[in-house]
């Protein structure tokens, strides 16, 4: 990812963090691990996502060579071995807390990172079998030049999925919401981000600030699918985050309304 360090693999503890063991070094060494998700009742079943790193050995700053393949990895033996189930660079994976089979990820590269090791088309993907197979789902961004894609699934309403997408100019292309994420072709709306994003004495064009490549994150309130947190140069909260959002800079306590 844009600010991650290349590492040696995954550290695993089975005693509450007292001791740790390095696992899957041959799979994850010299990559950036974006997220790991473990089945809530089966600790041997896990999924993880990986991409190139910004720095460290084989980091983007040193221009590789990069250690393929990247993508979504799945383990059924507690992380000892892993299987690549979707090839391409990704930093995001969302899992339905009520149904581990229901998962979402995105294949994407930050703008300026080139096309290295990107066999799967850029976009949002859905799995209904716990990350074994994936289907590309369409959205308003389909066919556009896009950079990094970040996803957030609403824990209290797993049909509600948000996608925050970097445009070709490194700024935000758009924040999108669907309330039927499990459909083959979900219905999306674009959440308004029009206006002046004033924070820290600077005026930005969106919550990413000057650069979605390096400062780009979103999350959903676990008890309210209409409350979203989005960050970049500051951290913002979106209330009624749909057709009529209200954005508040919760670092700076300034409020801006969208209509």
């Amino acid at each position: 990812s844009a600010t991650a360090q290349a590492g040696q693999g995954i550290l695993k503890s089975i005693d509450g963090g007292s001791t740790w063991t390095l696992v899957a070094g041959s799979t994850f060494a010299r990559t950036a691990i974006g997220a790991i998700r473990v089945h809530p009742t089966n600790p041997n079943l896990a999924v993880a996502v990986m991409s190139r790193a910004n720095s460290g050995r084989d980091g983007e700053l040193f221009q590789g060579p990069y250690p393929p393949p990247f993508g979504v990895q799945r383990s059924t033996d507690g992380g000892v071995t892993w299987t690549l189930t979707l090839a391409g660079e990704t930093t995001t994976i969302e899992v339905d807390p009520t149904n581990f089979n229901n998962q979402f990820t995105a294949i994407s590269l930050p703008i300026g990172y080139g096309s290295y090791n990107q066999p799967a088309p850029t976009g949002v993907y859905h799995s209904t079998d716990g990350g074994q197979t994936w289907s590309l789902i369409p959205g308003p961004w389909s066919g556009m030049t896009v950079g990094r894609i970040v996803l957030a699934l609403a824990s209290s309403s797993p049909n509600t999925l948000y996608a925050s997408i970097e445009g070709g100019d490194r700024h935000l292309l758009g924040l999108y919401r669907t309330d039927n994420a499990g459909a083959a072709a979900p219905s999306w709306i674009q959440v308004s981000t029009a206006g002046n994003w004033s924070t820290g004495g600077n005026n930005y064009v969106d919550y990413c600030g000057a650069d979605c490549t390096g400062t780009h994150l979103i999350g959903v309130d676990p008890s309210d699918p209409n409350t979203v947190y989005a960050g970049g140069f500051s951290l913002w909260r979106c209330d009624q985050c749909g057709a009529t959002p209200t954005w508040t800079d919760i670092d700076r306590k300034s409020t801006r309304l969208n209509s």
Side-chain angles (χ1 to χ4, degrees), residues 12 37-39 41-47 74-82:
K12 177 183 177 180
R37 301 288 182 262
V38 181
H39 193 286
T41 61
N42 179 3
N44 288 319
L45 179 55
V47 290
R74 186 175 189 268
S75 176
T76 59
D77 58 8
V80 177
T81 61
W82 295 78

Side-chain angles (χ1 to χ4, degrees), residues 8-204:
Q8 293 187 4
I10 292 175
L11 290 171
K12 177 183 177 180
S13 175
I14 58 174
D15 56 10
S18 296
T19 59
W20 295 86
T21 302
L22 180 68
V23 297
S26 61
T27 299
F28 293 101
R30 298 154 59 193
T31 71
I33 301 170
I36 304 169
R37 301 288 182 262
V38 181
H39 193 286
T41 61
N42 179 3
N44 288 319
L45 179 55
V47 290
V49 295
M50 57 199 285
S51 66
R52 77 181 77 172
N54 180 64
S55 54
R57 185 177 179 183
D58 285 349
E60 179 69 14
L61 293 177
F62 298 99
Q63 299 299 307
Y66 309 111
F70 300 116
V72 180
Q73 298 275 357
R74 186 175 189 268
S75 176
T76 59
D77 58 8
V80 177
T81 61
W82 295 78
T83 300
L84 184 73
T85 62
L86 181 63
E89 298 196 51
T90 177
T91 60
T92 184
I93 188 165
E94 293 291 296
V95 176
D96 182 344
T98 66
N99 180 6
F100 191 80
N101 284 331
N102 189 33
Q103 302 180 7
F104 297 89
T105 192
I107 297 296
S108 65
L109 280 170
I111 292 298
Y113 271 41
S115 59
Y116 175 82
N117 191 36
Q118 203 74 340
T122 297
V124 178
Y125 287 78
H126 183 208
S127 175
T128 59
D129 56 12
Q132 297 180 76
T133 60
W134 298 88
S135 299
L136 180 65
I137 58 177
W141 55 84
S142 298
M144 298 183 181
T145 298
V146 302
R148 187 178 176 198
I149 300 173
V150 182
L151 303 178
L153 188 68
S155 299
S156 60
S157 178
N159 278 321
T160 300
L161 178 70
Y162 292 87
S164 183
I165 300 182
E166 178 189 16
D169 59 357
R170 296 182 184 264
H171 293 298
L172 186 71
L173 175 68
L175 174 64
Y176 302 91
R177 169 179 173 159
T178 180
D179 292 306
N180 62 336
S187 300
W188 298 88
I189 64 168
Q190 185 168 358
V191 179
S192 176
T193 56
N196 175 27
W197 296 76
S198 178
T199 185
N202 295 300
N203 295 326
Y204 297 112

Side-chain angles (χ1 to χ4, degrees), residues 244-258:
T244 57
T246 300
W247 289 92
T248 303
D249 183 347
I250 57 177
D251 279 345
R252 306 294 177 180
K253 304 297 187 294
S254 62
T255 303
R256 182 179 57 78
L257 299 179
N258 287 309

